[in-house]
Amino acid sequence: AQTVTQSQPEMSVQEAETVTLSCTYDTSESDYYLFWYKQPPSRQMILVIRQEAYKQQNATENRFSVNFQKAAKSFSLKISDSQLGDAAMYFCAYGSEYGNKLVFGAGTILRVKS
Amino acid sequence: GAGVSQSPSNKVTEKGKDVELRCDPISGHTALYWYRQSLGQGLEFLIYFQGNSAPDKSGLPSDRFSAERTGGSVSTLTIQRTQQEDSAVYLCASSLWLAGQETQYFGPGTRLLVL
Protein backbone atom coordinates (compact mmCIF):
# COMPACT_ATOMS: atom_id res chain seq x y z
CA ALA A 1 0.00 0.00 0.00
CA GLN A 2 1.12 3.51 -0.71
CA THR A 3 1.93 5.94 2.09
CA VAL A 4 2.55 9.68 2.11
CA THR A 5 4.55 11.43 4.83
CA GLN A 6 4.64 15.14 5.57
CA SER A 7 7.21 15.60 8.32
CA GLN A 8 6.52 19.28 9.01
CA PRO A 9 3.34 19.75 11.05
CA GLU A 10 3.72 23.52 10.87
CA MET A 11 5.80 26.07 8.96
CA SER A 12 6.06 29.85 9.05
CA VAL A 13 7.24 32.26 6.38
CA GLN A 14 7.59 36.01 6.17
CA GLU A 15 5.47 37.69 3.54
CA ALA A 16 7.32 37.97 0.18
CA GLU A 17 9.81 35.26 1.12
CA THR A 18 10.12 31.66 -0.07
CA VAL A 19 9.14 28.53 1.79
CA THR A 20 9.47 24.83 0.96
CA LEU A 21 7.09 22.16 2.22
CA SER A 22 8.36 18.58 2.29
CA CYS A 23 6.65 15.39 1.22
CA THR A 24 7.91 11.84 0.83
CA TYR A 25 5.98 8.83 -0.33
CA ASP A 26 6.34 5.12 -0.67
CA THR A 27 5.11 3.06 -3.61
CA SER A 28 6.05 0.09 -5.75
CA GLU A 29 4.35 1.53 -8.82
CA SER A 30 6.38 3.11 -11.60
CA ASP A 31 3.67 5.37 -13.00
CA TYR A 32 1.64 7.54 -10.68
CA TYR A 33 0.57 11.11 -9.96
CA LEU A 34 1.37 13.49 -7.15
CA PHE A 35 -0.62 16.48 -6.01
CA TRP A 36 -0.45 19.39 -3.62
CA TYR A 37 -3.78 20.63 -2.31
CA LYS A 38 -4.40 23.74 -0.22
CA GLN A 39 -7.13 23.83 2.42
CA PRO A 40 -7.89 27.28 3.87
CA PRO A 41 -10.17 27.68 6.92
CA SER A 42 -13.16 27.57 4.58
CA ARG A 43 -12.46 23.79 4.24
CA GLN A 44 -12.49 23.97 0.43
CA MET A 45 -9.69 21.79 -0.92
CA ILE A 46 -8.01 23.62 -3.79
CA LEU A 47 -5.60 21.99 -6.22
CA VAL A 48 -2.27 23.81 -6.18
CA ILE A 49 -0.17 21.71 -8.51
CA ARG A 50 -0.01 18.28 -10.12
CA GLN A 51 2.94 16.17 -11.27
CA GLU A 52 2.94 13.07 -13.47
CA ALA A 53 5.69 10.67 -12.42
CA TYR A 54 6.65 9.89 -16.02
CA LYS A 55 7.53 13.54 -16.60
CA GLN A 56 11.04 14.48 -15.58
CA GLN A 57 10.33 18.19 -15.73
CA ASN A 58 9.15 19.70 -12.48
CA ALA A 59 5.66 21.21 -12.58
CA THR A 60 5.21 24.94 -11.99
CA GLU A 61 2.14 27.11 -11.52
CA ASN A 62 2.96 30.78 -11.15
CA ARG A 63 4.55 31.19 -7.68
CA PHE A 64 4.26 27.47 -6.93
CA SER A 65 6.78 24.89 -8.09
CA VAL A 66 7.75 21.38 -7.11
CA ASN A 67 11.01 19.53 -6.73
CA PHE A 68 10.17 15.99 -7.81
CA GLN A 69 12.89 13.44 -7.05
CA LYS A 70 11.52 10.10 -8.26
CA ALA A 71 14.41 7.95 -7.09
CA ALA A 72 14.26 9.48 -3.62
CA LYS A 73 10.44 9.42 -3.64
CA SER A 74 10.37 13.04 -2.65
CA PHE A 75 7.94 15.74 -3.78
CA SER A 76 8.45 19.13 -2.17
CA LEU A 77 6.46 22.29 -2.82
CA LYS A 78 8.16 25.66 -3.10
CA ILE A 79 6.11 28.81 -2.67
CA SER A 80 7.86 31.96 -3.85
CA ASP A 81 6.93 35.54 -2.92
CA SER A 82 4.62 34.27 -0.17
CA GLN A 83 1.36 36.14 0.30
CA LEU A 84 -1.01 36.35 3.24
CA GLY A 85 -3.56 34.41 1.20
CA ASP A 86 -1.20 31.44 1.04
CA ALA A 87 -1.82 30.73 4.72
CA ALA A 88 -3.59 27.38 4.87
CA MET A 89 -3.15 23.67 5.48
CA TYR A 90 -1.26 22.04 2.63
CA PHE A 91 -1.72 18.38 1.79
CA CYS A 92 0.48 16.21 -0.37
CA ALA A 93 -1.39 13.39 -2.12
CA TYR A 94 -0.54 10.31 -4.18
CA GLY A 95 -2.70 8.96 -6.98
CA SER A 96 -2.28 5.61 -8.65
CA GLU A 97 -2.17 5.40 -12.44
CA TYR A 98 -5.33 3.35 -12.18
CA GLY A 99 -7.24 6.46 -11.22
CA ASN A 100 -8.94 5.71 -7.99
CA LYS A 101 -8.52 7.01 -4.46
CA LEU A 102 -5.93 9.54 -3.40
CA VAL A 103 -3.68 8.82 -0.44
CA PHE A 104 -3.03 11.94 1.62
CA GLY A 105 -0.33 13.02 4.00
CA ALA A 106 -1.22 14.45 7.41
CA GLY A 107 -0.79 18.02 6.20
CA THR A 108 1.40 21.02 6.97
CA ILE A 109 -0.04 24.21 8.41
CA LEU A 110 1.56 27.21 6.71
CA ARG A 111 1.49 30.54 8.54
CA VAL A 112 2.42 33.72 6.68
CA LYS A 113 3.67 36.64 8.78
CA SER A 114 3.29 40.26 7.67
CA GLY B 1 -19.13 26.19 -14.37
CA ALA B 2 -20.49 25.02 -11.02
CA GLY B 3 -18.18 23.09 -8.76
CA VAL B 4 -18.89 20.18 -6.45
CA SER B 5 -21.61 21.02 -3.96
CA GLN B 6 -22.42 19.31 -0.68
CA SER B 7 -25.29 19.59 1.75
CA PRO B 8 -25.80 20.25 4.52
CA SER B 9 -22.80 22.41 5.31
CA ASN B 10 -23.02 21.49 8.97
CA LYS B 11 -24.96 18.78 10.76
CA VAL B 12 -25.40 18.24 14.48
CA THR B 13 -27.02 15.00 15.55
CA GLU B 14 -27.48 12.88 18.60
CA LYS B 15 -25.68 9.61 19.13
CA GLY B 16 -27.68 6.74 17.67
CA LYS B 17 -29.46 8.76 15.00
CA ASP B 18 -29.03 8.21 11.26
CA VAL B 19 -27.68 10.96 8.99
CA GLU B 20 -27.57 11.47 5.23
CA LEU B 21 -24.98 13.60 3.51
CA ARG B 22 -25.43 14.68 -0.08
CA CYS B 23 -22.95 15.36 -2.87
CA ASP B 24 -23.61 16.91 -6.29
CA PRO B 25 -20.58 16.36 -8.53
CA ILE B 26 -19.45 18.52 -11.40
CA SER B 27 -21.64 17.87 -14.42
CA GLY B 28 -20.06 15.29 -16.71
CA HIS B 29 -17.70 13.87 -14.12
CA THR B 30 -18.03 10.10 -14.05
CA ALA B 31 -15.99 9.41 -10.93
CA LEU B 32 -17.09 10.37 -7.42
CA TYR B 33 -15.21 9.94 -4.15
CA TRP B 34 -16.01 10.31 -0.46
CA TYR B 35 -13.32 11.10 2.10
CA ARG B 36 -13.40 11.73 5.83
CA GLN B 37 -11.24 14.29 7.61
CA SER B 38 -11.06 14.02 11.35
CA LEU B 39 -10.01 17.08 13.36
CA GLY B 40 -6.51 18.16 12.41
CA GLN B 41 -5.92 15.06 10.30
CA GLY B 42 -5.42 14.24 6.66
CA LEU B 43 -8.11 12.81 4.44
CA GLU B 44 -9.15 9.18 4.73
CA PHE B 45 -10.68 7.48 1.70
CA LEU B 46 -14.15 6.02 2.21
CA ILE B 47 -15.72 4.99 -1.10
CA TYR B 48 -15.32 5.50 -4.85
CA PHE B 49 -17.86 5.31 -7.70
CA GLN B 50 -16.84 5.09 -11.34
CA GLY B 51 -19.54 5.01 -13.98
CA ASN B 52 -21.60 1.85 -13.83
CA SER B 53 -18.89 -0.22 -12.19
CA ALA B 54 -19.31 -1.68 -8.72
CA PRO B 55 -18.14 0.89 -6.16
CA ASP B 56 -14.88 0.49 -4.28
CA LYS B 57 -16.08 0.34 -0.67
CA SER B 58 -12.74 -0.65 0.79
CA GLY B 59 -12.42 2.49 2.93
CA LEU B 60 -15.76 2.31 4.73
CA PRO B 61 -14.92 1.95 8.45
CA SER B 62 -17.93 -0.15 9.43
CA ASP B 63 -21.21 -1.52 8.15
CA ARG B 64 -22.96 1.51 9.61
CA PHE B 65 -21.61 3.45 6.63
CA SER B 66 -23.12 3.12 3.17
CA ALA B 67 -23.32 5.20 0.03
CA GLU B 68 -25.19 5.21 -3.20
CA ARG B 69 -25.01 7.12 -6.42
CA THR B 70 -28.22 7.56 -8.35
CA GLY B 71 -28.27 8.00 -12.10
CA GLY B 72 -24.51 8.37 -12.22
CA SER B 73 -24.72 11.80 -10.64
CA VAL B 74 -25.82 12.70 -7.10
CA SER B 75 -24.45 10.63 -4.24
CA THR B 76 -25.67 10.14 -0.69
CA LEU B 77 -23.49 8.94 2.17
CA THR B 78 -25.54 7.44 5.00
CA ILE B 79 -24.29 6.83 8.50
CA GLN B 80 -26.57 4.72 10.65
CA ARG B 81 -26.63 4.73 14.45
CA THR B 82 -24.06 7.52 14.60
CA GLN B 83 -21.31 7.40 17.19
CA GLN B 84 -19.24 10.25 18.61
CA GLU B 85 -16.17 9.01 16.73
CA ASP B 86 -18.06 9.66 13.48
CA SER B 87 -17.66 13.40 14.10
CA ALA B 88 -15.56 14.74 11.23
CA VAL B 89 -15.71 16.67 8.00
CA TYR B 90 -16.96 14.54 5.12
CA LEU B 91 -15.58 15.64 1.77
CA CYS B 92 -16.81 14.65 -1.65
CA ALA B 93 -14.77 14.93 -4.84
CA SER B 94 -15.43 14.24 -8.48
CA SER B 95 -13.30 13.80 -11.57
CA LEU B 96 -13.41 12.87 -15.19
CA TRP B 97 -12.10 9.43 -15.89
CA LEU B 98 -10.36 9.41 -19.23
CA ALA B 99 -7.16 7.56 -18.53
CA GLY B 100 -4.84 7.41 -15.58
CA GLN B 101 -5.39 9.65 -12.62
CA GLU B 102 -7.50 12.66 -13.39
CA THR B 103 -7.55 15.59 -10.99
CA GLN B 104 -10.15 15.36 -8.25
CA TYR B 105 -12.17 18.47 -7.49
CA PHE B 106 -13.50 18.77 -3.98
CA GLY B 107 -16.66 20.15 -2.48
CA PRO B 108 -16.69 22.30 0.67
CA GLY B 109 -17.52 19.35 2.88
CA THR B 110 -20.12 18.61 5.53
CA ARG B 111 -19.04 19.05 9.13
CA LEU B 112 -20.75 16.38 11.21
CA LEU B 113 -20.92 16.66 14.99
CA VAL B 114 -22.34 13.75 16.95
CA LEU B 115 -23.31 14.66 20.50
Side-chain angles (χ1 to χ4, degrees), chain B residues 42-63:
Chain B
L43 278 70
E44 169 193 17
F45 167 76
L46 296 177
I47 189 168
Y48 158 62
F49 296 90
Q50 168 51 33
N52 296 320
S53 302
D56 176 357
K57 304 180 182 180
S58 60
L60 294 179
S62 78
D63 59 8

Side-chain angles (χ1 to χ4, degrees), chain A residues 33 35 37 39 41-47 50 89 91 94-107, chain B residues 9-10 33 35 37 40-43 45 48 58 89 91 97 99-111:
Chain A
Y33 301 77
F35 304 84
Y37 280 90
Q39 187 180 42
S42 66
R43 296 198 310 246
Q44 181 76 55
M45 294 280 283
I46 302 165
L47 177 69
R50 163 195 168 110
M89 176 80 93
F91 290 100
Y94 173 100
S96 167
E97 64 172 324
Y98 302 107
N100 45 30
K101 66 182 181 182
L102 292 178
V103 177
F104 285 84
Chain B
S9 179
N10 296 281
Y33 311 78
Y35 295 87
Q37 184 178 22
Q41 301 297 311
L43 278 70
F45 167 76
Y48 158 62
S58 60
V89 175
L91 290 159
W97 208 97
Q101 177 69 258
E102 296 300 324
T103 297
Q104 295 182 23
Y105 295 90
F106 285 81
T110 295
R111 183 182 300 279

Side-chain angles (χ1 to χ4, degrees), chain A residues 17-72:
Chain A
E17 295 192 344
T18 296
V19 64
T20 298
L21 308 184
S22 301
C23 173
T24 59
Y25 58 94
D26 190 30
T27 183
S28 59
E29 297 179 334
S30 57
D31 290 324
Y32 48 86
Y33 301 77
L34 296 164
F35 304 84
W36 279 98
Y37 280 90
K38 168 185 177 181
Q39 187 180 42
S42 66
R43 296 198 310 246
Q44 181 76 55
M45 294 280 283
I46 302 165
L47 177 69
V48 174
I49 202 163
R50 163 195 168 110
Q51 173 82 42
E52 289 87 354
Y54 64 85
K55 290 185 178 179
Q56 293 185 337
Q57 186 172 6
N58 289 325
T60 62
E61 284 290 339
N62 300 314
R63 298 183 295 108
F64 298 87
S65 62
V66 298
N67 183 3
F68 173 48
Q69 301 287 329
K70 191 173 184 180

Side-chain angles (χ1 to χ4, degrees), chain B residues 78-101:
Chain B
T78 301
I79 309 173
Q80 296 179 310
R81 305 181 302 282
T82 51
Q83 303 294 311
Q84 289 181 331
E85 60 263 29
D86 299 335
S87 296
V89 175
Y90 290 82
L91 290 159
C92 174
S94 71
S95 72
L96 292 169
W97 208 97
L98 303 174
Q101 177 69 258

